[in-house]
Amino acid sequence: MTAAAPGVPADFPDAHFGGGHPYPLYERIHAARGPVRHPSGGYWVVGTHAEVHAALTRPDLFRSRDGVLLSEIGHSYDAPPTIMHTDPPEHTRYRALVAPAFRPSVMRRLEDAVRERIGALLDPVTPDRPFDVVAELAVPLPLQVICLLLGVPETDWARFHLWSEAIVPGAAPELAEEERGALAAECARYLIGVAHERRADPRDDVISRLALAAPDGDRLTDTELAMFLIQLLVAGNETTRHAISGGLLALAGHPGQWAALRAGAAGATAGGGDAGGGDTGSGDAGPLPGAVEELLRWTSPVVYFLRTATRPVTLGGAEIAAGDRLMLLYGAANRDPAAFGPDAGRFDIARRPAVTGLAFGFGPHFCLGAALARMELGLLLAEMAARYERIETAGEPVHTGSTVVTGLRRCPLVVRRGRTPPARPDAC
């Protein structure tokens, strides 16, 4: 069995976040080359790419229904609070209801609308003057897009942001627990109310699709509607938001990478290449899709999710007992040198790894909104590459303190215009 000593201190994860992912600790976990036992929590910590990938692809061995967060250990639910808490075949049936709304072909039809919103957010940004990329770009863009997809007023995005922050554990430490609960309930009431309205007056949006769905001959209950819609709201903006802000901070700190991205984007535009990346993955050789994949790997906004072993199993040399919990560390897996090479700790938009990054998970629970997030990131990078010669830091970023979704709460940047910027990717 893999030794318990090398990797995980007793105060992990609570004492090790607040400044981003704890990469030195991840390196110690990598050195163990397999799951390590948490000394006080009684669960396994899994931070190598091969083992996280294996656990994500085998729901028959590692189930989700017993809870996906550390705070849920010891709790049970009358009904799954999110689709993440379900396993096949229940998960397969639920996912089929909403998956068509997130197909790459649907994402491509949204591209013009997303470009328009990107332009509207970038137009007020003044070159040579610092701006907070979180508040002015990374927060509003994904929320406006998910509002568009759900079919709710985009003018409500700020309220949606507050609800989302209240629902993600640790994302808004200034909110008391009672206030967080009240905001989550308010969010559920709002979304269920819209779903009831759509049953009487359907539209071409995700809420209408779910409001009218009848997978077993009966329409979804209010509890099931809340389960779907709250997850779509939160997952549809949190990961993308932190990938945008963390990715732009990385590019600001690596001016050579930004120059390479601009040159590649200009070349792709001249050659008629794809600047959006709506349905591209890590195997695409284009400059912008490659940059998107590296930004996702580098930022890895989702810290972890839990799985529970359904029976005794060996994983990475560790003997896992039935009922054991496994903490799957996505950020650690995405920096694993065994998967991404000895330079896994280096930011490189030209990286073309032989393995799939796990920022969106993998297997049955692969993020429904992955194509949407990739499209938003690709279009944003293309537009910013066309507008700005340089991106620079303009102050110290402020990190979130969440141990579930990590990213930036504030990130001052400044953009510089060049005299001869590359051609804008309007034709893509």
Side-chain angles (χ1 to χ4, degrees):
M1 184 174 70
T2 303
V8 184
D11 57 359
F12 179 80
D14 293 343
H16 293 262
F17 286 85
H21 285 283
Y23 293 117
L25 177 55
Y26 291 169
E27 290 174 4
R28 288 159 52 191
I29 295 172
H30 294 151
R33 296 312 319 150
V36 293
R37 192 84 174 182
H38 192 285
S40 60
Y43 54 87
W44 295 92
V45 177
V46 188
T48 49
H49 185 278
E51 280 67 52
V52 171
H53 184 276
L56 290 172
T57 55
R58 293 295 304 273
D60 58 321
L61 296 178
F62 305 102
R63 68 187 177 214
S64 301
R65 70 169 186 247
D66 298 321
V68 296
L69 301 177
L70 292 174
S71 59
E72 295 176 318
I73 294 178
H75 295 272
S76 60
Y77 302 99
D78 295 330
T82 73
I83 193 175
M84 294 187 298
H85 292 74
T86 61
D87 300 294
E90 182 184 29
H91 174 267
T92 306
R93 184 171 66 254
Y94 277 138
R95 189 178 176 100
L97 297 178
V98 71
F102 291 88
R103 287 188 181 125
S105 59
V106 177
M107 299 301 101
R108 283 193 292 270
R109 292 199 295 271
L110 288 173
E111 284 189 2
D112 287 344
V114 175
R115 280 194 185 95
E116 179 183 343
R117 284 151 182 80
I118 289 171
L121 290 168
L122 290 178
D123 285 346
V125 174
T126 303
D128 306 317
R129 185 174 298 171
F131 75 106
D132 181 4
V133 74
V134 175
E136 297 179 47
L137 183 60
V139 167
L141 176 60
L143 281 164
Q144 289 174 11
V145 173
I146 201 65
C147 286
L148 175 67
L149 201 64
L150 291 175
V152 296
E154 290 180 50
T155 51
D156 290 344
W157 72 261
R159 191 64 179 172
F160 276 46
H161 176 235
L162 179 60
W163 287 338
S164 184
E165 291 287 273
I167 291 166
V168 174
E174 70 276 9
L175 296 176
E177 190 66 25
E178 182 178 343
E179 187 176 5
R180 288 182 59 230
L183 287 167
E186 181 181 273
C187 177
R189 287 194 301 270
Y190 175 96
L191 292 169
I192 292 169
V194 175
H196 288 178
E197 292 173 4
R198 293 295 189 274
R199 284 176 175 164
D201 182 20
R203 304 178 188 177
D204 184 18
D205 56 44
V206 171
I207 293 184
S208 295
R209 178 188 295 273
L210 290 172
L212 299 175
D216 299 309
D218 296 316
R219 286 179 172 171
L220 297 176
T221 65
D222 284 358
T223 299
E224 289 174 315
L225 284 169
M227 173 191 76
F228 268 112
L229 294 172
I230 290 174
Q231 182 173 337
L232 289 174
L233 166 63
V234 175
N237 86 86
E238 286 284 339
T239 301
T240 310
R241 161 194 164 185
H242 293 308
I244 288 172
S245 56
L248 291 176
L249 177 63
L251 287 164
H254 297 79
Q257 298 284 308
W258 178 249
L261 186 147
R262 291 186 80 234
T269 302
D274 176 17
D279 61 351
T280 58
S282 58
D284 193 305
L288 287 176
V292 166
E293 295 308 310
E294 181 68 352
L295 262 61
L296 291 167
R297 184 192 76 89
W298 186 258
T299 57
S300 293
V302 175
V303 176
Y304 80 93
F305 284 124
L306 292 186
R307 295 292 187 270
T308 302
T310 62
R311 57 180 183 266
V313 62
T314 301
L315 180 69
E319 300 298 329
I320 310 295
D324 279 1
R325 310 286 182 137
L326 294 89
M327 180 191 209
L328 308 181
L329 286 172
Y330 293 5
N334 280 340
R335 295 283 186 102
D336 185 357
F340 294 96
D343 67 342
R346 182 168 65 89
F347 180 69
D348 182 7
I349 65 168
R351 186 184 305 277
R352 297 296 183 269
V355 298
T356 301
L358 301 178
F360 293 119
F362 204 79
H365 284 278
F366 180 72
C367 179
L368 275 169
L372 178 63
R374 285 182 169 123
M375 183 258 285
E376 291 179 55
L377 285 163
L379 293 176
L380 176 63
L381 290 178
E383 182 62 25
M384 294 189 72
R387 288 180 181 235
Y388 310 124
E389 183 178 37
R390 298 191 310 281
I391 305 175
E392 301 168 1
T393 57
E396 287 297 317
V398 177
H399 289 263
T400 66
S402 174
T403 60
V404 179
V405 180
T406 190
L408 300 171
R409 301 199 75 188
R410 183 174 180 273
C411 181
L413 298 179
V414 64
V415 295
R416 313 287 187 189
R417 286 198 188 276
R419 294 183 179 179
T420 55
R424 294 167 59 97
D426 295 332
C428 296

